[in-house]
Amino acid sequence: METPYQNHIDKADFDHVYEPAEDSFLLIDALEKDLEYLKKKNPTFCLEVGSGSGVVITAFGMAFPQTFCLSTDINFKACVMSKQTAAYNKVNLDTCNMDLMSSFTDNVFDVIIFNPPYVVTESEECGGCDITASWAGGTKGREITDRLLNMIPKKLANDGVFYLLLIEENIPDEVVQIMFDYGYKSDVVLKRKVRNEQQLVFKFFR
Ligand SMILES: C[S@@+](CC[C@H](N)C(=O)[O-])C[C@H]1O[C@@H](n2cnc3c(N)ncnc32)[C@H](O)[C@@H]1O
């Protein structure tokens, strides 16, 4: 999977929107690793929740030009940047400024992707809509992630796949158990140690 160009972005804009980092690129590498699996699924709708600069959903859109790509972000400036990144790389992307995927009512997605704010923080730090929303994850770094997990059974197609980036501090075993209770199997697609942080990309599917 190609990494999208982001030459159009002024460095200063990354004071307000999450700048693509190792976690973003691990997620792209995980999607690349699963390319053949994803091609067999021939996805019609792909949603990235919390798209930030748009680098991940744009990479997906470049690899799957026939797939209808959508993204959401709680940070309005991230929505604008995602749209620009997609357009710069000739990918059609609809972006929605919303909390997770709460405003989609009838839509069901074949692929859902989330690189959440995963840093363990005080609960009070979490739930904003500016740059702090990029990293502040509250208790276990999971407060935002757990809210999304709860929505997956209604929003993921029966034969769909959900990709989620976690770090060890998020206690991935608990996430696997939550998703198991919802009826999902899981696999670790890729993991990488970045400085002191063990990052893992999981996929969940029925
Ligand atoms: C770690 S950043 C990942 C950005 C991008 N996906 C990437 O991989 O580079 C997390 C993103 O989730 C967004 N976010 C946080 N809470 C959210 C929520 N409740 N609903 C939608 N997006 C949210 C943040 O604004 C931020 O853009």
Side-chain angles (χ1 to χ4, degrees), residues 140 142 145-146 149-150 153 171-184 204:
K140 300 179 190 173
R142 281 245 310 277
T145 301
D146 284 356
L149 299 183
N150 189 34
I171 321 179
D173 285 353
E174 285 185 6
V175 175
V176 166
Q177 184 61 49
I178 292 169
M179 293 305 283
F180 182 79
D181 292 344
Y182 287 142
Y184 292 94
F204 299 95

Side-chain angles (χ1 to χ4, degrees), residues 18 24 48 50-52 56 73-74 98-100 115-117 133-134 147:
Y18 188 73
S24 322
E48 185 184 8
S51 57
V56 178
D73 207 292
I74 195 82
M98 71 165 81
D99 179 29
L100 301 176
N115 177 11
S134 301
R147 286 204 294 118

Side-chain angles (χ1 to χ4, degrees), residues 121-128 132 136-139 143-144:
T121 65
E122 297 295 325
S123 283
E124 299 70 53
E125 279 184 79
C126 148
T132 59
T139 308
E143 291 192 29
I144 308 295

Side-chain angles (χ1 to χ4, degrees), residues 77 137 152 171 203:
K77 288 180 176 162
I152 292 294
I171 321 179
K203 73 173 170 192

